[in-house]
Amino acid sequence: MMRYKEEKDAKKEAFRKYLESSGAVDALTKVLVALYEQNEKPSSALEFIQQTLGGPTIYEYEKLQAEISDLQTKYNELLCKHEDACKELEELKNMHSSVSPSTKETNDGEPLKDEHVEKNS
């Protein structure tokens, strides 16, 4: 039982040192002191702490979440359009490759001449 308590205390101490060395203790202390020194206490202590630490307000967070949702919808729509365009391109390539050279025509409806046939002079 004693060994468990020692291990638990050692973990606590290691975590405390980690928080101190990373600056988290100082940052939290400064925020809490700033909150304490407010003449008029904010309606939401948590929102005050978030703002002071540089996080978004609840309104900003909700706005960002809505923007993410809109952008995801637009992305999905564009992805579908892209996939459709790729399918159409592939179909056109297949149609083009399946047309034999002897059946190809020029824009004016005339059959294409085989360029590989030598001209008689």
Side-chain angles (χ1 to χ4, degrees), residues 4-93:
Y4 173 74
K5 186 175 182 340
E6 289 173 0
E7 287 177 6
K8 190 174 179 182
D9 288 344
K11 284 184 180 180
K12 282 183 183 179
E13 182 62 22
F15 186 67
R16 186 189 62 73
K17 287 180 181 179
Y18 161 73
L19 291 176
E20 284 180 1
S21 67
S22 67
V25 171
D26 287 337
L28 290 172
T29 301
K30 287 177 184 177
V31 170
L32 293 173
V33 167
L35 178 60
Y36 176 77
E37 291 175 347
Q38 292 290 309
N39 290 333
E40 293 183 28
K41 301 296 183 229
S43 60
S44 172
L46 182 58
E47 191 169 319
F48 176 86
I49 292 169
Q50 288 174 330
Q51 287 176 338
T52 306
L53 288 175
T57 64
I58 292 171
Y59 170 75
E60 292 170 330
Y61 177 78
E62 289 171 352
K63 188 176 173 184
L64 289 170
Q65 287 295 103
E67 186 177 353
I68 288 172
S69 178
D70 290 345
L71 290 172
Q72 185 65 48
T73 300
K74 288 178 184 177
Y75 169 79
N76 290 339
E77 290 171 359
L78 289 172
L79 185 61
C80 285
K81 286 181 182 180
H82 173 71
E83 289 171 352
D84 290 345
C86 287
K87 288 177 186 174
E88 185 178 346
L89 177 61
E90 194 62 35
E91 288 171 4
L92 289 171
K93 284 181 179 179

